[in-house]
Amino acid sequence: MRGGVEATEEPSPPGRDNVTEQRKRTTIIRVVYVIAALDVTWMFLQFSVTPYLAKKLGFDTLWFGYLQTTVGVIQLLGGPIFGRFADIFGARAALSLACSSTVVFFLLLAIAENPAMLFIHKLPTVFMHVITGEPSQMVVADLSAPEKRAEALSKLGLCFGIGMITGSTLGGHLNTRFGETFTAYFGAVGSAFSLLLVFKFIPKTTKSQASRTNKDSENKKKSIFNVGEITRLLRFPGVKRTFLVKIVAGLPSGIFQVMFSVIALDFFKLRPEQNGYLMAYFGVASMVVQGGVVGRLTARYSDNSLLLLAIGVSSLVGLAQAYMQDVFQFCLIVFPMTFSLSVFNVITDSMLTKSVPSSDTGTMMGLCASVQSLLRTVGPTVGGFLYVHYGISSIGLIQCVVNVAVFGHLLQRHLRRTAEHQQ
């Protein structure tokens, strides 16, 4: 009774403030999910344009690989810097810059009429990191409780699936009926709408008050390009090891992903509309896995156990890819492949953000994005070489062998630590 009376006398009860703050955080996270889904929609929209436009302009498999490598190099350089930018200037500035860059990207794609312009239109990708790493994942990581972070991040994967279905289907239809130029302009308009959502709903910063108090003045004095501040995060316990696993185990599957547009066009002989349907099927698989499986697994099992599971499944997926002969067999592989990729990325990102202070989550997400960019940098060149000289089976076999080796190492380490705890 006394607690109730005291609560009514307070002008702004702490409990009510907490509920209001939680509702505000939930609303922001939901808007970020919408922005992320739209960003993936526009990204897969351009996947329905670039390979076919490149073929019209005379690109072969190797030159298309060089084009993809260019994107990887640009985003590899931009990822950590952009993450640092997000930590210093806040979520709204970072998302605004990313969406604005996407608008410019599509406008340049729409006027690309020669091979040089096709390379030039990739330059804005240095800031295009809405879903691939920093802003959206930083906001979710900042506003979610540590014990629920993996589940919250997995819902971004659900947005990825929704965007993949919408963007692939829409892009395939628009490209088939109206051509590459109209589709690119459509992507520019859609990206401008995403920018309006950022201005309307995203706060200037999502860092906690304690974090802002401790780091605000310090961050403002430091340059975005301070490499020491970026690499400092690698010295936190467990970060280097997790990064190494993320790179080594993720490289083979990354090669297959960046080569998939070439595989769909050259190996499966798919037309733009058919390719759109296949990517939509990818999206359905991603939605099922991210929405119905990953969240439940993260709530029940430890990060280390799920990491082992993801790498083990990835090795079996690589073996299956090595022996697939047609698109139907590939469709059978899609669900386990999506499962392994989703769990692997969610768990490694969650482990890494838990290893650093909340004031550095944006920079850490930038480093995570740089790993993906590294894979996209070496993936097209290595994948193009393997595909041209040894066939698609070589990519799958390498994925199988590498993931078996990583799985064995992690399992041995896990068993050794378990034995030490029991003693």
Side-chain angles (χ1 to χ4, degrees):
M1 177 65 70
R2 179 181 300 177
V5 172
E6 291 177 352
T8 58
E9 293 174 353
E10 291 290 333
S12 55
R16 186 179 302 170
D17 287 346
N18 290 337
V19 171
T20 303
E21 180 66 23
Q22 186 59 44
R23 286 178 179 173
K24 184 178 178 181
R25 290 183 173 213
T26 302
T27 300
I28 295 171
I29 290 176
R30 287 175 178 172
V31 173
V32 169
Y33 288 153
V34 173
I35 294 172
L38 289 173
D39 181 72
V40 177
T41 299
W42 315 137
M43 180 174 68
F44 277 90
L45 191 79
Q46 71 92 13
F47 287 164
S48 300
V49 175
T50 306
Y52 299 95
L53 181 59
K55 191 173 183 180
K56 285 184 179 180
L57 295 177
F59 281 57
D60 58 13
T61 301
L62 286 178
W63 269 101
F64 188 75
Y66 296 149
L67 182 66
Q68 297 293 86
T69 299
T70 301
V71 179
V73 171
I74 292 172
Q75 292 201 317
L76 176 63
L77 298 174
I81 295 173
F82 193 76
R84 180 86 177 131
F85 177 91
D87 276 334
I88 294 176
F89 295 102
R92 183 191 296 165
L95 283 169
S96 299
L97 179 58
C99 292
S100 301
S101 300
T102 308
V103 173
V104 176
F105 170 87
F106 275 110
L107 292 176
L108 290 175
L109 179 61
I111 62 174
E113 297 180 347
N114 55 66
M117 278 301 300
L118 205 57
F119 276 94
I120 291 172
H121 101 277
K122 299 293 187 182
L123 293 178
T125 59
V126 69
F127 299 125
M128 289 167 56
H129 297 274
V130 174
I131 188 69
T132 54
E134 305 81 76
S136 57
Q137 294 191 28
M138 182 191 75
V139 173
V140 173
D142 286 343
L143 300 182
S144 58
E147 63 273 12
K148 295 184 178 180
R149 187 167 298 169
E151 182 180 358
L153 289 172
S154 72
K155 290 180 180 177
L156 280 173
L158 181 61
C159 299
F160 192 93
I162 295 172
M164 185 185 296
I165 295 171
T166 308
S168 301
T169 306
L170 183 62
H173 282 287
L174 290 177
N175 191 14
T176 300
R177 286 163 175 74
F178 303 105
E180 289 87 0
T181 302
F182 178 87
T183 307
Y185 279 124
F186 189 94
V189 174
S191 301
F193 176 72
S194 298
L195 181 60
L196 292 178
L197 290 179
V198 173
F199 287 144
K200 178 67 176 176
F201 294 103
I202 303 302
K204 182 178 179 181
T205 182
T206 55
K207 303 298 182 185
S208 65
Q209 184 62 43
S211 175
R212 291 199 299 270
T213 302
N214 293 333
K215 296 290 290 185
D216 224 15
S217 58
E218 181 182 350
N219 275 340
K220 288 183 183 298
K221 295 177 182 177
K222 293 178 179 175
S223 170
I224 299 172
F225 304 97
N226 191 326
V227 178
E229 277 299 300
I230 297 173
T231 57
R232 170 182 61 86
L233 302 183
L234 296 176
R235 295 196 289 270
F236 282 91
V239 170
K240 282 185 180 179
R241 182 176 63 253
T242 305
F243 259 112
L244 187 61
V245 171
K246 195 173 182 69
I247 294 172
V248 175
L251 178 59
S253 58
I255 291 175
F256 184 86
Q257 290 177 69
V258 298
M259 289 298 297
F260 182 74
S261 56
V262 174
I263 293 171
L265 187 64
D266 186 64
F267 186 76
F268 294 142
K269 309 293 184 184
L270 298 181
R271 298 189 301 273
E273 194 168 350
Q274 293 173 323
N275 186 47
Y277 290 140
L278 182 59
M279 298 308 294
Y281 175 67
F282 260 113
V284 172
S286 180
M287 287 179 61
V288 171
V289 171
Q290 299 277 8
V293 179
V294 176
R296 296 179 182 179
L297 289 177
T298 56
R300 182 172 298 183
Y301 301 102
S302 68
D303 288 348
N304 288 326
S305 299
L306 291 177
L307 183 60
L308 279 171
L309 176 63
I311 294 174
V313 173
S314 181
S315 65
L316 297 177
V317 168
L319 187 63
Q321 288 173 351
Y323 292 100
M324 70 178 181
Q325 299 296 321
D326 52 42
V327 70
F328 174 75
Q329 293 178 357
F330 175 70
C331 287
L332 298 178
I333 304 171
V334 165
F335 270 92
M337 180 175 69
T338 304
F339 173 82
S340 62
L341 288 172
S342 300
V343 174
F344 180 78
N345 289 325
V346 167
I347 293 303
T348 51
D349 287 353
S350 177
M351 292 171 69
L352 289 169
T353 55
K354 289 177 183 177
S355 301
V356 300
S358 61
S359 57
D360 292 314
T361 51
T363 306
M364 176 54 74
M365 285 301 181
L367 288 173
C368 291
S370 71
V371 173
Q372 298 298 322
S373 300
L374 176 63
L375 302 183
R376 289 194 295 271
T377 300
V378 301
T381 303
V382 175
F385 176 82
L386 291 173
Y387 181 74
V388 170
H389 293 89
Y390 302 103
I392 191 174
S393 60
S394 61
I395 300 175
L397 288 174
I398 290 175
Q399 178 174 332
C400 178
V401 171
V402 170
N403 278 273
V404 165
V406 175
F407 179 85
H409 170 72
L410 291 179
L411 181 61
Q412 183 182 21
R413 185 175 181 276
H414 179 71
L415 293 175
R416 185 171 62 249
R417 292 183 64 182
T418 302
E420 289 174 355
H421 285 310
Q422 290 177 348
Q423 290 178 354

